[in-house]
Amino acid sequence: MADTHDNLHIAMLPWLAFGHMTPYMELAKLMAAKGHRISFLSAPRNIDRLPKPPPELAPLISLVKLPLPPVEHLPEGAEATSDLPYDKIQYLKKAFDMLQEPVARFLESSDPDWIMYDFAPYWAGPIAARLGIGSVLFTIMIGAGLGFVGPTWASKGADYRKTPEDFTRSPKWVPFPTKVAFRLFEIKRIFDVVTGNASGVTDLYRMGACQECCDVIALRSSYEVEPEWLSLLKDIHTKPVFPVGQLAPGDPEARGETDTWRSIKEWLDAQKKGSVVYVAFGSESKPSQTELTEIAQGLELSGLPFFWVLKTRLGSADTESIMLPDGFEERVKGRGVVWDSWVPQLKILAHDSVGGFLTHGGWNSAVEALSFGRALILFTFVADQGLNARILEERQIGYPIPRNESDGSVTRQSVAESLRLVMVEEEGRVYREKSKGMRPIVGDQGIQERYTNDLLNYLKEHRPVKHLKSKGTTI
């Protein structure tokens, strides 16, 4: 543990999405384990829903609740993106922007050394600078995603990319050949990141402003996985860039036994080793009715055993409920399970009977699966999932289910063929082997420790001068 005078106080302000808060909390635990104090800021219900830090770290991690102001069209109680259908998330951004004053008051009264903030609070950097607090843009995007977003000028109001088609090509600042770009249907679904939303600020502008104002850029990446992208980021940003590692979750067995897990485990125990396809699309992605029907029929056609965690609604404001095809569950009984509530995903992925994971390509899920060497079958929905999928595809770690380029539609045949390819066929052996090869890289605690230390050492050495004076340390 660090000497007391060396210890930092770091405030963390992630975006209101569990796919963002979870890696922030993983990093918070790693830093707290080295004696540093963390103030973790989020909306009250999010704090209540996040897994609590282990008892030995709890005294060093303060969970700070910042109530969201009411905003027209934002349903009451909606405090995370998983509470909302996609078209309502813009109002969550509007509410989040109204936290500027409470965040400024908190920073002023608690006087941390540094604040680590996400892409959304583009206003956090200027507040920190005014208060003499160091600022870190900690983006949960991987190197390829951040590299595709590009330099500040490209995201902050430049005319370089105007149409959806412009985002389907590798940008001009990437000097090496790569598949990393959006497919047309992927960018069309989220084109409001470019054109704007009810908050009045585009996501692209937010990221550009955050990059411009911060002192340090940190991202969820490692040289073992994407060295060329990290080198590019150091070239295009005139400030320190630190990968923080993959932030793989801890031991699944540490989560304890529950009745839910005992029931799931009983079914998994009865399946052959490596035979089961685990299907889950995260907390913020939901297939359309047409997509759901084709995925279900594809799973049925594949003949493979599967365990499917199916989310049919995104929060109480989601009026578009989706339904499985008539008779589907009866026809797959014994071979397939459809589960409609929370599951211990880590425990499932760790189980020997699971061989592959049909996933949306969210990086949290990819890292969890790869930490157990599970092969990935990719079906993207929103956000940066498409860019994640391209790097997984490029590395032959994940196989994308073929879809219509313009609208993203899929056929049951392509679902079934993709599943069989990755799970059992000789042609897909490369995906199974490369995924297994990722296990020692993604799950290596020594590698993770090194990245955490590198960032912390920099933050200690470069803490703002007023903090050095106030803590009585020699400058």
Side-chain angles (χ1 to χ4, degrees):
M1 200 170 270
D3 292 338
T4 309
H5 73 265
D6 243 3
N7 290 350
L8 297 165
H9 177 198
I10 299 168
M12 298 184 106
L13 183 62
W15 166 232
L16 306 173
F18 283 93
H20 291 238
M21 291 181 274
T22 303
Y24 262 74
M25 183 56 81
E26 289 298 325
L27 185 57
K29 290 189 292 190
L30 289 167
M31 295 191 297
K34 296 177 183 301
H36 303 288
R37 278 195 307 132
I38 309 297
S39 293
F40 192 100
L41 283 62
S42 194
R45 283 189 69 231
N46 297 339
I47 297 276
D48 292 342
R49 288 181 285 180
L50 276 166
K52 295 294 169 276
E56 69 275 14
L57 299 180
L60 286 166
I61 301 177
S62 303
L63 302 171
V64 181
K65 295 182 175 181
L66 297 176
L68 287 178
V71 165
E72 193 181 1
H73 307 305
L74 181 65
E76 198 177 336
E79 296 185 359
T81 53
S82 54
D83 299 328
L84 296 161
Y86 184 78
D87 65 328
K88 292 269 196 301
I89 290 171
Q90 56 187 324
Y91 305 112
L92 191 64
K93 287 177 185 140
K94 197 171 179 178
F96 190 62
D97 287 344
M98 292 164 75
L99 292 179
Q100 289 179 56
E101 276 308 308
V103 167
R105 282 198 302 273
F106 174 81
L107 293 176
E108 204 159 7
S109 61
S110 62
D111 199 27
D113 299 292
W114 293 88
I115 178 170
M116 297 183 109
Y117 57 84
D118 212 332
F119 83 97
Y122 65 100
W123 34 263
I127 293 172
R130 174 167 58 81
L131 297 172
I133 296 165
S135 60
V136 181
L137 165 61
F138 170 35
T139 170
I140 59 106
M141 290 182 95
I142 61 171
L146 197 59
F148 183 82
V149 169
T152 299
W153 64 261
S155 47
K156 204 165 171 256
D159 283 343
Y160 175 56
R161 294 183 285 200
K162 289 179 178 175
T163 67
E165 288 74 14
D166 292 336
F167 288 82
T168 63
R169 297 182 280 274
S170 182
K172 62 185 178 187
W173 53 80
V174 179
F176 46 83
T178 179
K179 290 180 179 175
V180 173
F182 285 104
R183 292 172 69 182
L184 187 57
F185 70 87
E186 289 168 340
I187 189 64
K188 277 162 72 174
R189 288 182 179 193
I190 59 162
F191 204 55
D192 64 317
V193 303
V194 180
T195 56
N197 57 61
S199 74
V201 186
T202 70
D203 286 8
L204 216 49
Y205 181 92
R206 287 175 191 273
M207 180 61 94
C210 285
Q211 289 177 161
E212 187 174 59
C213 292
C214 68
D215 299 313
V216 178
I217 294 173
L219 68 155
R220 190 180 189 179
S221 183
S222 59
Y223 282 101
E224 292 77 12
V225 176
E226 40 178 6
E228 74 282 36
W229 287 100
L230 287 170
S231 297
L232 173 65
L233 288 170
K234 291 196 169 181
D235 289 343
I236 63 178
H237 292 294
T238 54
K239 54 188 67 181
V241 176
F242 283 91
V244 300
Q246 298 298 339
L247 302 174
D251 176 11
E253 294 314 312
R255 308 282 168 111
E257 282 282 320
T258 61
D259 291 342
T260 295
W261 171 237
R262 277 190 282 273
S263 166
I264 294 169
K265 184 177 183 295
E266 195 177 312
W267 185 83
L268 289 171
D269 285 346
Q271 312 305 316
K272 287 183 187 160
K273 185 176 177 179
S275 67
V276 175
V277 182
Y278 175 56
V279 186
F281 300 125
S283 60
E284 292 148 47
S285 301
K286 187 188 88 172
S288 67
Q289 181 59 61
T290 310
E291 287 168 342
L292 177 76
T293 300
E294 295 304 313
I295 291 166
Q297 304 281 17
L299 281 162
E300 189 175 346
L301 271 176
S302 76
L304 297 166
F306 64 87
F307 189 97
W308 187 358
V309 183
L310 179 60
K311 190 162 188 173
T312 56
R313 289 178 78 193
L314 295 174
S316 56
D318 187 358
T319 53
E320 291 181 28
S321 62
I322 50 176
M323 293 171 63
L324 288 165
D326 283 347
F328 172 75
E329 289 182 85
E330 289 73 32
R331 292 194 299 275
V332 298
K333 198 166 185 176
R335 172 165 73 82
V337 173
V338 179
W339 198 275
D340 64 0
S341 57
W342 179 87
V343 299
Q345 177 160 294
L346 213 54
K347 285 177 180 281
I348 294 172
L349 286 167
H351 197 283
D352 279 350
S353 71
V354 174
F357 183 15
L358 173 51
T359 170
H360 57 306
W363 204 251
N364 284 340
S365 292
V367 166
E368 288 181 359
L370 294 173
S371 66
F372 300 108
R374 307 302 178 220
L376 302 174
I377 306 102
L378 304 163
F379 193 90
T380 61
F381 292 91
V382 292
D384 57 351
Q385 294 164 9
L387 302 178
N388 295 342
R390 289 315 88 71
I391 197 102
L392 293 166
E393 180 186 350
E394 203 168 79
R395 303 285 195 264
Q396 293 185 294
I397 302 164
Y399 180 80
I401 294 178
R403 295 163 75 178
N404 178 286
E405 206 57 40
S406 179
D407 64 11
S409 58
V410 67
T411 67
R412 59 198 68 180
Q413 285 78 16
S414 66
V415 172
E417 285 163 13
S418 301
L419 290 168
R420 292 197 58 80
L421 173 90
V422 173
M423 291 293 291
V424 296
E425 286 170 13
E426 187 57 35
E427 194 187 337
R429 179 185 291 276
V430 63
Y431 297 99
R432 300 191 288 277
E433 289 180 351
K434 296 252 181 162
S435 297
K436 284 189 176 74
M438 290 297 291
R439 185 173 187 168
I441 295 169
V442 170
D444 187 316
Q445 286 307 306
I447 293 174
Q448 182 61 66
E449 183 93 351
R450 190 176 78 241
Y451 286 116
T452 308
N453 285 338
D454 286 350
L455 175 63
L456 285 169
N457 288 338
Y458 183 90
L459 297 184
K460 282 189 282 189
E461 286 166 23
H462 295 83
R463 85 169 95 202
V465 172
K466 77 175 180 84
H467 289 276
L468 287 170
K469 285 177 179 168
S470 68
K471 291 171 196 291
T473 307
T474 307
I475 300 171

mmCIF file of all heavy atoms in Angstrom, residues 221-228 230 243-246 395 397 437-438 440-442 444 446-448 450-451 454:
data_model
loop_
_atom_site.group_PDB
_atom_site.id
_atom_site.type_symbol
_atom_site.label_atom_id
_atom_site.label_comp_id
_atom_site.label_asym_id
_atom_site.label_seq_id
_atom_site.Cartn_x
_atom_site.Cartn_y
_atom_site.Cartn_z
ATOM 1 N N SER A 221 -7.976 -0.548 -22.358
ATOM 2 C CA SER A 221 -7.229 -1.164 -23.447
ATOM 3 C C SER A 221 -5.925 -1.708 -22.896
ATOM 4 O O SER A 221 -5.589 -1.500 -21.733
ATOM 5 C CB SER A 221 -6.961 -0.125 -24.544
ATOM 6 O OG SER A 221 -6.305 -0.716 -25.643
ATOM 7 N N SER A 222 -5.190 -2.426 -23.752
ATOM 8 C CA SER A 222 -3.861 -2.925 -23.367
ATOM 9 C C SER A 222 -3.039 -3.164 -24.623
ATOM 10 O O SER A 222 -3.579 -3.457 -25.694
ATOM 11 C CB SER A 222 -3.998 -4.225 -22.565
ATOM 12 O OG SER A 222 -4.657 -5.219 -23.320
ATOM 13 N N TYR A 223 -1.726 -3.028 -24.481
ATOM 14 C CA TYR A 223 -0.824 -3.238 -25.622
ATOM 15 C C TYR A 223 -0.851 -4.691 -26.089
ATOM 16 O O TYR A 223 -0.563 -4.981 -27.249
ATOM 17 C CB TYR A 223 0.608 -2.818 -25.250
ATOM 18 C CG TYR A 223 0.791 -1.328 -25.292
ATOM 19 C CD1 TYR A 223 0.779 -0.570 -24.123
ATOM 20 C CD2 TYR A 223 0.947 -0.651 -26.510
ATOM 21 C CE1 TYR A 223 0.922 0.815 -24.157
ATOM 22 C CE2 TYR A 223 1.091 0.725 -26.546
ATOM 23 C CZ TYR A 223 1.075 1.456 -25.374
ATOM 24 O OH TYR A 223 1.207 2.824 -25.424
ATOM 25 N N GLU A 224 -1.224 -5.605 -25.199
ATOM 26 C CA GLU A 224 -1.296 -7.027 -25.581
ATOM 27 C C GLU A 224 -2.420 -7.283 -26.586
ATOM 28 O O GLU A 224 -2.381 -8.242 -27.344
ATOM 29 C CB GLU A 224 -1.530 -7.906 -24.331
ATOM 30 C CG GLU A 224 -0.370 -7.944 -23.368
ATOM 31 C CD GLU A 224 -0.229 -6.692 -22.505
ATOM 32 O OE1 GLU A 224 -1.166 -5.850 -22.473
ATOM 33 O OE2 GLU A 224 0.824 -6.551 -21.858
ATOM 34 N N VAL A 225 -3.455 -6.421 -26.586
ATOM 35 C CA VAL A 225 -4.626 -6.635 -27.448
ATOM 36 C C VAL A 225 -4.620 -5.711 -28.668
ATOM 37 O O VAL A 225 -4.936 -6.126 -29.778
ATOM 38 C CB VAL A 225 -5.935 -6.464 -26.636
ATOM 39 C CG1 VAL A 225 -7.162 -6.586 -27.548
ATOM 40 C CG2 VAL A 225 -6.013 -7.509 -25.529
ATOM 41 N N GLU A 226 -4.279 -4.443 -28.505
ATOM 42 C CA GLU A 226 -4.346 -3.509 -29.648
ATOM 43 C C GLU A 226 -3.196 -2.499 -29.640
ATOM 44 O O GLU A 226 -3.425 -1.290 -29.495
ATOM 45 C CB GLU A 226 -5.713 -2.821 -29.725
ATOM 46 C CG GLU A 226 -6.305 -2.419 -28.396
ATOM 47 C CD GLU A 226 -7.627 -1.693 -28.517
ATOM 48 O OE1 GLU A 226 -8.183 -1.565 -29.620
ATOM 49 O OE2 GLU A 226 -8.098 -1.217 -27.483
ATOM 50 N N PRO A 227 -1.962 -2.983 -29.845
ATOM 51 C CA PRO A 227 -0.797 -2.093 -29.786
ATOM 52 C C PRO A 227 -0.825 -0.982 -30.828
ATOM 53 O O PRO A 227 -0.436 0.155 -30.545
ATOM 54 C CB PRO A 227 0.390 -3.046 -30.019
ATOM 55 C CG PRO A 227 -0.201 -4.243 -30.706
ATOM 56 C CD PRO A 227 -1.585 -4.374 -30.164
ATOM 57 N N GLU A 228 -1.285 -1.297 -32.049
ATOM 58 C CA GLU A 228 -1.238 -0.305 -33.126
ATOM 59 C C GLU A 228 -2.183 0.866 -32.852
ATOM 60 O O GLU A 228 -1.887 2.018 -33.169
ATOM 61 C CB GLU A 228 -1.524 -0.955 -34.498
ATOM 62 C CG GLU A 228 -2.968 -1.355 -34.786
ATOM 63 C CD GLU A 228 -3.449 -2.649 -34.137
ATOM 64 O OE1 GLU A 228 -3.049 -2.970 -32.998
ATOM 65 O OE2 GLU A 228 -4.258 -3.341 -34.764
ATOM 66 N N LEU A 230 -3.143 1.944 -29.801
ATOM 67 C CA LEU A 230 -2.604 2.759 -28.703
ATOM 68 C C LEU A 230 -1.481 3.671 -29.204
ATOM 69 O O LEU A 230 -1.373 4.831 -28.788
ATOM 70 C CB LEU A 230 -2.126 1.855 -27.564
ATOM 71 C CG LEU A 230 -3.268 1.212 -26.761
ATOM 72 C CD1 LEU A 230 -2.736 0.150 -25.825
ATOM 73 C CD2 LEU A 230 -4.051 2.265 -25.980
ATOM 74 N N PRO A 243 -3.432 3.304 -21.264
ATOM 75 C CA PRO A 243 -4.357 2.173 -21.191
ATOM 76 C C PRO A 243 -4.462 1.730 -19.734
ATOM 77 O O PRO A 243 -3.461 1.752 -19.009
ATOM 78 C CB PRO A 243 -3.675 1.100 -22.049
ATOM 79 C CG PRO A 243 -2.222 1.465 -22.062
ATOM 80 C CD PRO A 243 -2.134 2.948 -21.857
ATOM 81 N N VAL A 244 -5.661 1.362 -19.282
ATOM 82 C CA VAL A 244 -5.813 0.917 -17.887
ATOM 83 C C VAL A 244 -6.003 -0.598 -17.786
ATOM 84 O O VAL A 244 -6.383 -1.117 -16.744
ATOM 85 C CB VAL A 244 -6.971 1.650 -17.171
ATOM 86 C CG1 VAL A 244 -6.735 3.144 -17.138
ATOM 87 C CG2 VAL A 244 -8.315 1.328 -17.809
ATOM 88 N N GLY A 245 -5.736 -1.321 -18.900
ATOM 89 C CA GLY A 245 -5.946 -2.762 -18.886
ATOM 90 C C GLY A 245 -7.378 -3.096 -19.257
ATOM 91 O O GLY A 245 -8.198 -2.214 -19.525
ATOM 92 N N GLN A 246 -7.697 -4.395 -19.274
ATOM 93 C CA GLN A 246 -9.035 -4.838 -19.711
ATOM 94 C C GLN A 246 -10.059 -4.847 -18.582
ATOM 95 O O GLN A 246 -11.241 -5.066 -18.817
ATOM 96 C CB GLN A 246 -8.934 -6.237 -20.345
ATOM 97 C CG GLN A 246 -8.053 -6.293 -21.584
ATOM 98 C CD GLN A 246 -8.563 -5.417 -22.721
ATOM 99 O OE1 GLN A 246 -9.736 -5.058 -22.766
ATOM 100 N NE2 GLN A 246 -7.678 -5.069 -23.641
ATOM 101 N N ARG A 395 -9.306 -9.825 -35.390
ATOM 102 C CA ARG A 395 -8.388 -10.697 -34.635
ATOM 103 C C ARG A 395 -8.828 -12.164 -34.692
ATOM 104 O O ARG A 395 -8.214 -13.013 -34.071
ATOM 105 C CB ARG A 395 -8.324 -10.268 -33.157
ATOM 106 C CG ARG A 395 -7.918 -8.817 -32.903
ATOM 107 C CD ARG A 395 -6.433 -8.582 -33.115
ATOM 108 N NE ARG A 395 -5.983 -7.325 -32.551
ATOM 109 C CZ ARG A 395 -5.842 -6.187 -33.228
ATOM 110 N NH1 ARG A 395 -6.147 -6.146 -34.524
ATOM 111 N NH2 ARG A 395 -5.396 -5.089 -32.650
ATOM 112 N N ILE A 397 -11.339 -13.455 -33.200
ATOM 113 C CA ILE A 397 -11.792 -13.858 -31.865
ATOM 114 C C ILE A 397 -13.312 -13.964 -31.864
ATOM 115 O O ILE A 397 -13.901 -14.680 -31.072
ATOM 116 C CB ILE A 397 -11.349 -12.806 -30.812
ATOM 117 C CG1 ILE A 397 -9.832 -12.635 -30.816
ATOM 118 C CG2 ILE A 397 -11.813 -13.188 -29.425
ATOM 119 C CD1 ILE A 397 -9.375 -11.376 -30.099
ATOM 120 N N GLY A 437 -6.910 -18.535 -26.636
ATOM 121 C CA GLY A 437 -5.614 -17.868 -26.539
ATOM 122 C C GLY A 437 -5.687 -16.517 -25.855
ATOM 123 O O GLY A 437 -4.677 -15.989 -25.367
ATOM 124 N N MET A 438 -6.891 -15.926 -25.810
ATOM 125 C CA MET A 438 -7.061 -14.626 -25.152
ATOM 126 C C MET A 438 -7.137 -14.752 -23.630
ATOM 127 O O MET A 438 -6.922 -13.775 -22.909
ATOM 128 C CB MET A 438 -8.341 -13.940 -25.651
ATOM 129 C CG MET A 438 -8.275 -13.468 -27.082
ATOM 130 S SD MET A 438 -7.016 -12.202 -27.333
ATOM 131 C CE MET A 438 -7.753 -10.839 -26.438
ATOM 132 N N PRO A 440 -5.264 -16.114 -21.163
ATOM 133 C CA PRO A 440 -4.145 -15.679 -20.320
ATOM 134 C C PRO A 440 -3.833 -14.186 -20.435
ATOM 135 O O PRO A 440 -3.263 -13.598 -19.523
ATOM 136 C CB PRO A 440 -2.966 -16.519 -20.831
ATOM 137 C CG PRO A 440 -3.365 -17.035 -22.163
ATOM 138 C CD PRO A 440 -4.856 -17.108 -22.165
ATOM 139 N N ILE A 441 -4.229 -13.561 -21.550
ATOM 140 C CA ILE A 441 -3.955 -12.126 -21.733
ATOM 141 C C ILE A 441 -4.971 -11.286 -20.967
ATOM 142 O O ILE A 441 -4.625 -10.407 -20.180
ATOM 143 C CB ILE A 441 -3.995 -11.758 -23.239
ATOM 144 C CG1 ILE A 441 -2.861 -12.468 -23.992
ATOM 145 C CG2 ILE A 441 -3.923 -10.258 -23.446
ATOM 146 C CD1 ILE A 441 -2.982 -12.382 -25.501
ATOM 147 N N VAL A 442 -6.257 -11.606 -21.184
ATOM 148 C CA VAL A 442 -7.331 -10.805 -20.587
ATOM 149 C C VAL A 442 -7.405 -11.006 -19.073
ATOM 150 O O VAL A 442 -7.644 -10.074 -18.317
ATOM 151 C CB VAL A 442 -8.689 -11.154 -21.262
ATOM 152 C CG1 VAL A 442 -9.844 -10.535 -20.519
ATOM 153 C CG2 VAL A 442 -8.690 -10.672 -22.707
ATOM 154 N N ASP A 444 -4.999 -11.954 -16.960
ATOM 155 C CA ASP A 444 -3.724 -11.899 -16.233
ATOM 156 C C ASP A 444 -3.712 -10.723 -15.247
ATOM 157 O O ASP A 444 -3.673 -9.566 -15.651
ATOM 158 C CB ASP A 444 -2.567 -11.761 -17.237
ATOM 159 C CG ASP A 444 -1.204 -11.880 -16.577
ATOM 160 O OD1 ASP A 444 -1.004 -11.278 -15.512
ATOM 161 O OD2 ASP A 444 -0.329 -12.565 -17.144
ATOM 162 N N GLY A 446 -1.326 -9.849 -13.257
ATOM 163 C CA GLY A 446 -0.030 -9.166 -13.287
ATOM 164 C C GLY A 446 -0.014 -8.052 -14.318
ATOM 165 O O GLY A 446 0.482 -6.943 -14.062
ATOM 166 N N ILE A 447 -0.581 -8.342 -15.516
ATOM 167 C CA ILE A 447 -0.678 -7.329 -16.574
ATOM 168 C C ILE A 447 -1.566 -6.175 -16.090
ATOM 169 O O ILE A 447 -1.233 -5.002 -16.224
ATOM 170 C CB ILE A 447 -1.238 -7.949 -17.878
ATOM 171 C CG1 ILE A 447 -0.237 -8.946 -18.477
ATOM 172 C CG2 ILE A 447 -1.584 -6.868 -18.903
ATOM 173 C CD1 ILE A 447 -0.771 -9.715 -19.681
ATOM 174 N N GLN A 448 -2.711 -6.540 -15.492
ATOM 175 C CA GLN A 448 -3.648 -5.528 -14.997
ATOM 176 C C GLN A 448 -2.985 -4.631 -13.939
ATOM 177 O O GLN A 448 -3.126 -3.413 -13.941
ATOM 178 C CB GLN A 448 -4.889 -6.211 -14.407
ATOM 179 C CG GLN A 448 -5.948 -5.264 -13.898
ATOM 180 C CD GLN A 448 -6.502 -4.353 -14.975
ATOM 181 O OE1 GLN A 448 -7.155 -4.796 -15.908
ATOM 182 N NE2 GLN A 448 -6.224 -3.058 -14.872
ATOM 183 N N ARG A 450 0.135 -3.906 -13.609
ATOM 184 C CA ARG A 450 1.125 -3.017 -14.224
ATOM 185 C C ARG A 450 0.464 -1.753 -14.791
ATOM 186 O O ARG A 450 0.945 -0.639 -14.591
ATOM 187 C CB ARG A 450 1.890 -3.767 -15.314
ATOM 188 C CG ARG A 450 3.097 -3.007 -15.841
ATOM 189 C CD ARG A 450 3.874 -3.821 -16.849
ATOM 190 N NE ARG A 450 3.245 -3.827 -18.153
ATOM 191 C CZ ARG A 450 2.802 -4.917 -18.785
ATOM 192 N NH1 ARG A 450 2.909 -6.101 -18.211
ATOM 193 N NH2 ARG A 450 2.251 -4.843 -19.976
ATOM 194 N N TYR A 451 -0.658 -1.943 -15.487
ATOM 195 C CA TYR A 451 -1.352 -0.784 -16.071
ATOM 196 C C TYR A 451 -1.897 0.140 -14.988
ATOM 197 O O TYR A 451 -1.820 1.366 -15.105
ATOM 198 C CB TYR A 451 -2.478 -1.242 -17.004
ATOM 199 C CG TYR A 451 -1.978 -1.784 -18.317
ATOM 200 C CD1 TYR A 451 -2.186 -3.110 -18.683
ATOM 201 C CD2 TYR A 451 -1.271 -0.962 -19.202
ATOM 202 C CE1 TYR A 451 -1.708 -3.613 -19.887
ATOM 203 C CE2 TYR A 451 -0.794 -1.457 -20.408
ATOM 204 C CZ TYR A 451 -1.007 -2.783 -20.744
ATOM 205 O OH TYR A 451 -0.528 -3.268 -21.941
ATOM 206 N N ASP A 454 1.035 2.085 -13.528
ATOM 207 C CA ASP A 454 1.543 3.112 -14.447
ATOM 208 C C ASP A 454 0.701 4.383 -14.363
ATOM 209 O O ASP A 454 1.228 5.499 -14.295
ATOM 210 C CB ASP A 454 1.542 2.598 -15.898
ATOM 211 C CG ASP A 454 2.662 1.592 -16.160
ATOM 212 O OD1 ASP A 454 3.545 1.449 -15.286
ATOM 213 O OD2 ASP A 454 2.636 0.946 -17.229
#
